[in-house]
Amino acid sequence: MHIITPSSILRKWSYTDIPSLVFHANNPEIAKWMRDGFPYPYTDVDADRFITMATKEENGIILAIEVDGMAIGGIGTHQLCDIYRKTSEIGYWLSKEYQGKGIISDAVLALIPVAFEHQDIIRIQAGVFHSNLASRRVLEKCGFTLESIREKAIFKNDEFLDEYMYVLFRSEYERRKEPII
């Protein structure tokens, strides 16, 4: 999979990305917004483990965000299972030095149609820490709506945080694509 956006290329991860992944992911300001599976410090071993998982993922789409020939972030969707099987969860991260340039918004907008096309889903959701205003703005800019606020649903770094659950329904996405006459 190879998706060109206005500001980056979304592509499959490769083991040649390990040095770039470690360089850009090894930042406490990134890890603080991620689930605990995204460690800090971020080592070569972590990068190798992640790329092994990302290249074998069968229930989702996990892509590197490339700018200037380097993997500077990641984005993906993972289809949920059991009674939630018609829902996919989107997640992303970006190197601190590339934030605020529209790269993540472009990546989310590019991945939405791919997720709806390749996954048997009716909705894409994203759970965001209540204090992550930048990520909340990205989702709203990309057409997601706030579905719920889950109080104290997150326990990260010895504190409870609220989770803002954003959602984009296939029907809403397809309605927005229709031309206005």
Side-chain angles (χ1 to χ4, degrees):
M1 186 170 296
H2 191 87
I3 305 167
I4 298 173
T5 79
S7 57
S8 69
I9 296 170
L10 309 181
R11 58 158 175 83
K12 292 190 179 278
W13 286 96
S14 165
Y15 288 101
T16 60
D17 293 320
I18 288 176
S20 179
L21 174 56
V22 171
F23 179 79
H24 292 287
N26 190 31
N27 187 320
E29 288 300 308
I30 294 172
K32 81 176 189 179
W33 302 117
M34 304 295 286
R35 291 184 179 170
D36 290 341
F38 191 102
Y40 177 78
Y42 201 100
T43 66
D44 287 354
V45 172
D46 298 315
D48 185 78
R49 185 180 309 121
F50 169 76
I51 291 173
T52 298
M53 181 277 302
T55 55
K56 292 181 181 174
E57 174 65 34
E58 296 176 6
N59 207 24
I61 303 163
I62 303 175
L63 303 173
I65 300 171
E66 178 184 309
V67 173
D68 299 326
M70 293 185 305
I72 57 143
I75 187 166
T77 61
H78 177 79
Q79 190 168 349
L80 303 180
C81 59
D82 198 3
I83 61 173
Y84 303 107
R85 66 187 166 273
K86 297 295 184 175
T87 298
S88 193
E89 181 178 45
I90 191 168
Y92 45 81
W93 68 273
L94 188 67
S95 178
K96 200 75 172 143
E97 61 203 75
Y98 289 89
Q99 293 177 8
K101 300 178 182 196
I103 295 169
I104 285 293
S105 296
D106 288 344
V108 170
L109 287 170
L111 192 57
I112 290 168
V114 174
F116 280 133
E117 180 181 329
H118 289 85
Q119 296 174 319
D120 182 20
I121 58 173
I122 65 155
R123 61 184 267 150
I124 302 172
Q125 69 182 30
V128 181
F129 298 12
H130 76 276
S131 51
N132 191 342
L133 301 178
S135 190
R136 289 171 49 195
R137 280 193 302 269
V138 163
L139 293 167
E140 290 166 1
K141 180 179 176 182
C142 293
F144 286 74
T145 57
L146 180 62
E147 181 178 58
S148 64
I149 298 172
R150 300 176 53 208
E151 292 184 29
K152 295 183 172 113
I154 298 168
F155 186 71
K156 176 84 175 181
N157 297 326
D158 292 325
E159 69 176 313
F160 287 98
L161 303 168
D162 295 344
E163 180 182 42
Y164 280 47
M165 184 61 67
Y166 284 85
V167 65
L168 177 63
F169 287 95
R170 177 189 296 268
S171 58
E172 179 62 20
Y173 169 74
E174 289 175 351
R175 187 189 63 74
R176 286 186 300 148
K177 287 188 339 183
E178 293 176 9
I180 300 172
I181 300 175

